[in-house]
Every structure is written in C-alpha cells, then in structure tokens.
Amino acid sequence: MAFSSAGSPPYKGEMTSQGDEFLSTSIEAAEFQQTGNASTSDAAPNSQQTTVCNAAGSYPVSVASSSIAASSISNPTLEVDTQSEDNSDLDSTFSSIRDSTTSLRASVYDYVEENGRTFHKYKEGKYVLPNDAIEQDRLDLQHQMVLILLEGRLHLAPISSNPQNVLDVGTGTGIWAIDFAIKYPSAKVIGTDLSPIQPEFVPANCQFEVDDAEDEWQFSCKFDFIHMRGMMTCFSDPRAILAKAYEATAPGGYLEMQDSVFPMHCHDDTLEGTALDVWGKACVEGAAKIGRPWTNTPNYRDWMIELGFEDVKEKIFEVPINTWPKGRKQKELGLWWQADLMDALGASMAILTRAMGWTPEEVELQLVQVRKDIKNTGVHGYMPIHVVWGKKPKSATETTFADT
C-alpha cells in the first residue's frame, strides 16, 4: 500500500566542524539545521587499514580482511569528567530546542493498544516498539542526534551527487527520507514501514509505503542507495534482509546501515549491577526469546562482505548516556542520548511483559531506578553506534539470495 504525503523537516539551525571533535554543532542556536554536503567529497575516507576496535575490551568487533574492509573507532575513548561543572546552560539550551520542535503527523488509521501505548496493526505483534505520538517524537529527536553525531550528514557512503532511486527501510516518521529528498531533488525516495505514521505533506519526490521488509521485495527498480537506521530490534534474520538489499541495489549502488549495540557498554565497572544494566540485559534476553535478537549489529560488516558488497567500511561511535565524559560537545551529545533513552524506557514495556513475564507494575518499578541511573554521571555508560556501508560491484550480475 503506497501513499504520498511533503513538508520540510521540523528542525532548523546550524552545524560547524572543529578539529578532531567527533561531533559538531552550535549549541547556542535555539534550533538546528543540517548543512553538511553529503556528496562524495563529504563521505568518510576510504582507508583500507583494518583496526581492532575494542582496544578497551568492552565489546567484540569482528575484523575482516584488510584488503576488503576497514574499521575504526570514530571518536576518542570517552574520558570521565572529574570536575564539578555547571551544565545548566546546556540543559536549558537542549530544553528550548526540544520544546520548540513540532512535527506534522498523518493519522494512525489502524493500531492496537497495549498498556496505554499503541502499536502497528499491520503484521500485528511483529515489532515490539510502539508507534504513538510519544514514540514518533522520540524517533524525530533521535534523527537530530544522529545528524549531530555525523556532523550534519545524512549518510557516510560516498554516493553520487545525483542519485535516482533511493530506499529507506524502516522509515519510521519518514524524517530521514524527507530530508534526503529535499537535499537530493534528483532522487525518487521511497520509505517503507509497518506503521503509516509519516507526515501528510512531503516533497513530490518522496513517497511512503506500508510494507514488511521481511516479505519478498517487489520493487520495480533497482536502487542507487539503500538506507537502514535503527533496525536492531526489527528482524529475526538481519542477514537475510541484507541479502534482499544486495539484490535490490543497482550495480555501483550503496547500502548503509546505522545501528546501535545493546545493552549499554562501559569502560569501567560503574555500570555493572545497576538498574540500567539489569534493564538492558532483560531487554536483550526478552528479544532473544521472541526470536528477534538485539545483538547483531557487530555482524553487519562481515555479512555485507560475505554477500558480495565491496569497499565495505565501518565507523563506530561511543555515545554517552549523559554528561559524564570530558568535553563540551561530548556532554551535549550525552544530553541528546539521555533524552532518547528516557523516552525509550516506556517503549520497553512490551518486550518485558510479553517475553519476560514481568507485570506492568514490575516494569514501572524497575524504570524508576533506571531513570536515576541514566541521570547519574557516576555511571559511565555509553551506547556504541555502528555506521557500515558498502558498494555493490558494478560488474555484479543478477543474483537471488533466497537460500542464503
């Protein structure tokens, strides 16, 4: 089912780049606007050197042949800020940004309700996160956080300056697809999702379809660029989805995955045994029980190489849960991620009640303590975010991966 709907993204502002900082933004501005050039010249460098990424031993990262892929930590290891610093200006700036944002919403014309939250009706029960206004706001906030992380860029893959056909799988509110359509007027952008929660008004070169990526892909064209973000919770067999993406990518086209690693990580022992740690591990256990594991992100690169993508690259970012690390910019990013996590806690109700057998009251009681941990700068947790991209060889022939 396809429907079109056009509007400009709800955030404006300015981004700049300074030195070796792994994110860049003007925090004095009340709103943000992406200005990064996402063309080939703006894409991440094509280094062929393979670097082991888990030097601190906090989580495993697979390493492929250096002749095929490269991987590197994309920001310095986060350092604990031992100084008592007043972050009230950051807090007030972030609050004003968030309070000033508005989003155009399409009607959610089919949904089911559970524990006070709404979920998709199409393929009911397949996706464990809600689709209501609270979750939509969280997804839009997360989009802005990723823009800050990537210094204003919508992608790191070195795509052409005039892509023609682009696919955004799991588009959510459609904000990435809309931004891409505005930035690349040459492109016809299709966003797919189980929930029809995208805006009513969108650019003429952008359209949305209610679709299940785990079904057979039946698009009428091959894509110059396929983008997937936040798919960690979505699929029972992510490798099969990457195989479908390879088949749907035009020779010379790119696939890019942007995803996090769950549960939280930490370079010291301040996270261990906390309510946040218990909650995260319970979510991972619940996801495994329902056959949709949340732990596959570190496998994306190797799977892409196995499926035939070439020039596969990976960047890994460490995003703090609050303002605990040194550096003003790291602290600011921590505020964004903290806000995302706070909104995501309620969204975990389904996985904990359905899979783990917790009562809603038990979940809420646990979340009271989890919120305290997320705000506690003595807990040095962070979320690894992987950005992985690769190119389908120009010489590639038609191949079907139905049996891979």
Side-chain angles (χ1 to χ4, degrees), residues 16-24 151 329:
T16 60
S17 178
Q18 298 180 4
D20 296 331
E21 298 290 347
F22 72 102
L23 61 89
S24 178
E151 299 181 345
K329 293 184 178 181

Side-chain angles (χ1 to χ4, degrees), residues 24 36 68 83 123 127 162 233 237 251 264 286 306 310 327 341 347 359 370 373 378 397:
S24 178
I68 303 177
Q83 303 297 318
K123 299 294 185 73
Y127 181 59
N162 61 338
T233 63
D237 185 358
M264 303 300 160
E306 290 171 6
E310 62 182 13
L341 285 173
T359 66
V370 174
D373 288 341
T397 57

Side-chain angles (χ1 to χ4, degrees), residues 35-98:
T35 59
N37 181 356
S39 65
T40 301
S41 61
D42 245 8
N46 278 340
S47 171
Q48 292 296 321
Q49 181 179 0
T50 298
T51 304
V52 176
C53 303
N54 59 337
S58 58
Y59 60 101
V61 179
S62 56
V63 179
S65 168
S66 61
S67 65
I68 303 177
S71 178
S72 62
I73 286 288
S74 299
N75 57 292
T77 298
L78 298 172
E79 297 183 42
V80 179
D81 186 359
T82 58
Q83 303 297 318
S84 178
E85 182 177 346
D86 181 7
N87 296 313
S88 59
D89 59 332
L90 280 170
D91 292 333
S92 61
T93 299
F94 180 82
S95 178
S96 67
I97 294 169
R98 192 173 186 194

Side-chain angles (χ1 to χ4, degrees), residues 19 121 234:
K121 179 66 175 177
C234 295

